[in-house]
Amino acid sequence: MKKALSLLTVSAMAVSMLAGCGSSNTAATTAAATEAAKTETAAPAAAATEAATAAAEAGSADLADKKVGVCIYQFSDNFMTLFRTELQSYLESLGFKPENISIVDGANDQATQTNQIQNFITSGVDVLIINPVNSSSAATITDMVTAANIPLVYINREPDEQEEKRWADENMNVTYVGCDARQSGTMQGEIVADLENKGDINGDGKVSYIMIEGDPENVDAQYRTEFSVKALKDKGIEVEELDDQVGNWDQAQAQSLVANSLAQHGKDIEVVFCNNDAMALGALQAIEAAGETVGTDVYLLGVDALQEACENVKSGKQTGTVFNDHISQSHSAADAAVKYLKGESNDHYIGCDYVKVTTANVDDILASLG
Ligand code: GAL
């Protein structure tokens, strides 16, 4: 099990990323960062005892016989693999027995996942953690699960506002744990805007970019697409979209899309925005195959802070990424599940901050990824 990114690192990074942060809770973030900065020296000890305290608070003995069902939209997704691996080991550290933790692969098919949820309900799990295949199926899923009196923690794919409002209005034991994807998009744009040439490699007064989107049904893809470009415009930078393609979070699809785009637009492309790092890794393959160099001919941005992408940021093969904190999100999801099991309630939205990753802090991020 990994420790959550140390407060020390986060506070330093949070302070450095505050200017222009697109998150709606900027004031709260500022206050939190200031508070964290004040307590920097106490942070390592706090991080070290975090797991032990969480386990003690959870009352390990009570959890040994509790069954938890976890539905993941697709096992082959790189980021969700990190997430579920961390979730499994953190649940075990809290006192759940490995044989009582069941994690299933929805294979990117909502019908398959709906069956899995039904099977979990029939088998009598005590709590469910669900990463929906389609967020638009959330209302149906919520109805199935709450009708069986099972508490529910959604992760990673946020249901819409109307659905979340219903949980509060009807006092349901349902919550969502995740980050606000607008913040990650904004950070991608800011990384470009902070470059000396502000992304305008050819000096023609505008930033010409291509966008490689994740699954378009997913709010993370929609917001990252919109807010990365918005961050540039908000800083008065002129932009030109040369291409916008759907790569479904997938490395191989992104590689072929970027190869096509490079064949069509060549060096006119100054920035390749990818909604995640898996696709940025594919984009890099295409960029290198076209004989271009990141940092000189083109800038490349991703999200997630996958280990390989961070290594690329370190060596200059990727301009930047944004840490999608799977450690904090998986721990928060498990903690919320435990609170429900103890008869306590949770807020209906449990958030988490993204962190900008550039050469300036990539070593800290790599260290925290272990
Ligand atoms: C995003 C993540 C992507 C992909 C997606 C799945 O938050 O950045 O890499 O895992 O979730 O819903």
Side-chain angles (χ1 to χ4, degrees):
M1 187 199 66
K2 307 226 170 70
K3 283 186 207 129
L5 188 61
S6 101
L7 206 51
L8 179 65
T9 317
V10 171
S11 64
M13 289 185 297
V15 169
S16 75
M17 76 184 198
L18 282 172
C21 174
S23 155
S24 51
N25 60 358
T26 305
T29 314
T30 308
T34 312
E35 210 34 56
K38 278 191 219 152
T39 55
E40 270 182 9
T41 46
T49 54
E50 178 207 18
T53 313
E57 279 174 3
S60 309
D62 302 333
L63 298 175
D65 296 322
K66 297 290 185 202
K67 294 197 179 81
V68 49
V70 182
C71 295
I72 300 295
Y73 95 95
Q74 173 158 250
F75 273 14
S76 62
D77 180 295
N78 311 43
F79 173 74
M80 287 314 300
T81 299
L82 294 175
F83 195 122
R84 76 183 145 93
T85 308
E86 185 59 29
L87 180 61
Q88 166 101 35
S89 63
Y90 185 67
L91 284 167
E92 286 176 26
S93 79
L94 292 180
F96 289 92
K97 286 193 194 137
E99 62 270 29
N100 288 340
I101 304 167
S102 177
I103 308 186
V104 294
D105 181 4
N108 205 21
D109 181 64
Q110 188 56 60
T112 301
Q113 185 177 70
T114 304
N115 269 334
Q116 292 168 333
I117 296 169
Q118 195 54 61
N119 289 340
F120 275 138
I121 293 172
T122 312
S123 74
V125 291
D126 297 292
V127 63
L128 275 165
I129 299 177
I130 297 181
N131 167 215
V133 173
N134 296 327
S135 321
S136 55
S137 298
T140 314
I141 296 172
T142 303
D143 286 341
M144 278 168 68
V145 175
T146 54
N149 268 324
I150 298 171
L152 170 57
V153 179
Y154 282 107
I155 51 169
N156 172 258
R157 297 185 149 190
E158 187 171 1
D160 64 23
E161 234 174 273
Q162 200 189 339
E163 169 65 2
E164 289 185 359
K165 187 173 175 299
R166 193 167 75 104
W167 308 340
D169 290 349
E170 297 178 30
N171 205 15
M172 293 171 155
N173 276 343
V174 182
T175 185
Y176 170 73
V177 174
C179 306
D180 181 344
R182 284 172 284 205
Q183 190 187 39
S184 53
T186 301
M187 287 178 173
Q188 285 188 306
E190 286 174 354
I191 293 173
V192 174
D194 285 347
L195 295 165
E196 217 177 307
N197 60 12
K198 300 185 187 320
D200 184 10
I201 295 177
N202 58 21
D204 66 352
K206 59 181 193 276
V207 173
S208 305
Y209 69 90
I210 65 169
M211 182 69 65
I212 307 296
E213 297 191 29
D215 171 5
E217 204 256 357
N218 188 320
V219 76
D220 285 7
Q222 294 160 12
Y223 278 153
R224 288 175 192 164
T225 297
E226 181 186 346
F227 282 77
S228 51
V229 176
K230 183 175 181 301
L232 291 175
K233 289 190 195 155
D234 286 351
K235 289 190 182 276
I237 297 170
E238 200 183 316
V239 294
E240 175 191 31
E241 180 186 280
L242 295 177
D243 206 356
D244 183 353
Q245 300 288 339
V246 171
N248 288 310
W249 307 120
D250 182 73
Q251 177 167 350
Q253 288 186 44
Q255 178 182 3
S256 113
L257 293 171
V258 175
N260 288 343
S261 215
L262 282 166
Q264 198 184 338
H265 301 286
K267 289 213 171 181
D268 288 345
I269 303 173
E270 296 169 299
V271 176
V272 179
F273 281 118
C274 297
N275 284 171
N276 75 347
D277 277 345
M279 297 194 295
L281 294 174
L284 177 63
Q285 291 173 297
I287 289 167
E288 290 184 332
E292 294 200 14
T293 307
V294 172
T296 320
D297 303 312
V298 67
Y299 295 121
L300 175 61
L301 283 303
V303 175
D304 282 340
L306 296 182
Q307 172 106 16
E308 206 180 335
C310 287
E311 303 287 358
N312 287 340
V313 170
K314 195 172 157 96
S315 65
K317 290 193 211 161
Q318 183 169 325
T319 312
T321 183
V322 178
F323 181 38
N324 188 2
D325 192 341
H326 63 278
I327 302 168
S328 149
Q329 289 172 73
S330 56
H331 293 198
S332 295
D335 291 342
V338 167
K339 280 181 97 182
Y340 282 140
L341 290 174
K342 289 166 70 183
E344 295 170 20
S345 61
N346 283 293
D347 288 342
H348 295 287
Y349 180 93
I350 299 171
C352 164
D353 273 318
Y354 284 99
V355 181
K356 240 183 245 182
V357 184
T358 64
T359 45
N361 64 347
V362 70
D363 282 330
D364 291 337
I365 296 290
L366 276 166
S368 76
L369 293 175

